[in-house]
């Protein structure tokens, strides 16, 4: 099964994609995580990408498309995969359609207000990519799942969050109509609690 999680930053794409990928035993492919790894390793790609990421802007399409195309050639992608944070522009979606078929697109719906609250308190595990809200952590720097170090992403600072939301509305939201027209879109409410939202994802995919 080849799936896409679509939705604004902070809608829960990462949380649900990690969990579903685990259950289906297929990889979760987060272009954001891949880019952050390039930045950490100071590759040429990472150096080019980081100025866009720090500003909350999109990394250029050709960089992303090349990176994803390569990723899909890895053997673990043979039985399917879940995209999280890709595609983010119609150009990326068009490129993707030239090298793979998508079975369904889960459109996670959440209001801007909910997103701002979630992202500004978000902490991300540098080891397992798990995401947590500060209000629910006993220790704000230790991952409750794996003991890894939690970080506050630079682009989760409030000003950058507002820009990322604007970028979503301007450049990514058009993908809702794009995939709806192809008959692939499944709308799922992302504004509630994690369990409730995840149950919606499973129902939409007829997995529960
Ligand atoms: P979120 O969904 O919470 O915004 P991500 O981890 O998916 O976070 O992305 C972080 C940043 O990485 C984005 O703001 C953008 O700069 C870059 N990025 C990730 N995926 C893409 C993509 N498909 N196209 C362009 N830029 C991307
Ligand atoms: Zn962890």
């Amino acid at each position: 099964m080849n799936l896409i999680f679509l939705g604004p930053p902070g809608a829960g794409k990462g949380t649900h994609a990690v969990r579903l990928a685990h259950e289906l035993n297929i990889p979760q492919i987060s272009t954001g995580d891949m880019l952050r790894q390039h930045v950490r390793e100071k590759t040429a790609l990472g150096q080019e990408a980081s100025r866009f990421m720090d500003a909350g802007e999109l990394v250029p399409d050709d960089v992303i498309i090349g990176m994803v195309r390569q990723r899909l050639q890895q053997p673990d992608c043979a039985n399917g995969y879940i995209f999280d944070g890709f595609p983010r522009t119609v150009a990326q979606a068009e490129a993707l359609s030239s090298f793979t078929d998508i079975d369904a697109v889960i459109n996670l719906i959440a209001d801007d207000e909910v997103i701002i609250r979630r992202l500004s308190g978000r902490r991300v595990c540098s080891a397992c990519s798990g995401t947590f809200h500060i209000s629910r952590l006993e220790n704000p720097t230790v991952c409750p799942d794996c003991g890894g170090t939690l970080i506050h992403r630079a682009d989760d600072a409030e000003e950058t969050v507002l820009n990322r939301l604007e970028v979503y509305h301007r450049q990514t939201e058009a993908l809702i109509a794009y995939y709806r027209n192809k008959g692939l879109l499944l709308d799922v409410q992302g504004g509630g609690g994690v369990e409730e939202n995840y149950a919606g994802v499973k129902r939409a995919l007829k997995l529960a």
Side-chain angles (χ1 to χ4, degrees), residues 152-192:
H152 186 196
R153 274 169 45 183
D155 63 349
D156 281 346
E158 181 148 357
E159 291 156 27
T160 314
V161 166
L162 294 177
N163 193 44
R164 282 158 67 204
L165 260 178
E166 197 192 303
V167 165
Y168 168 78
H169 290 304
R170 199 170 63 230
Q171 297 183 266
T172 307
E173 207 167 31
L175 290 176
I176 295 176
Y178 177 91
Y179 283 117
R180 204 186 296 284
N181 284 336
K182 294 193 183 301
L184 295 176
L185 202 79
L186 304 172
D187 286 314
V188 175
Q189 290 304 323

Side-chain angles (χ1 to χ4, degrees), residues 125-130 132 143-150:
C125 178
S126 53
C128 74
S129 298
F132 308 91
C143 174
D145 286 353
C146 80
T149 304
L150 295 179

Side-chain angles (χ1 to χ4, degrees), residues 9-10 13 31-32 35-36 52-53 57-59 64 85-86 88 92 122 153 155 164:
K13 301 186 299 290
T31 44
L35 291 168
R36 280 185 288 278
F52 295 100
M53 296 170 75
E57 295 292 330
L58 295 185
V59 173
I64 300 288
F86 174 87
R88 261 173 152 96
Q92 290 179 15
R122 180 163 79 169
R153 274 169 45 183
D155 63 349
R164 282 158 67 204

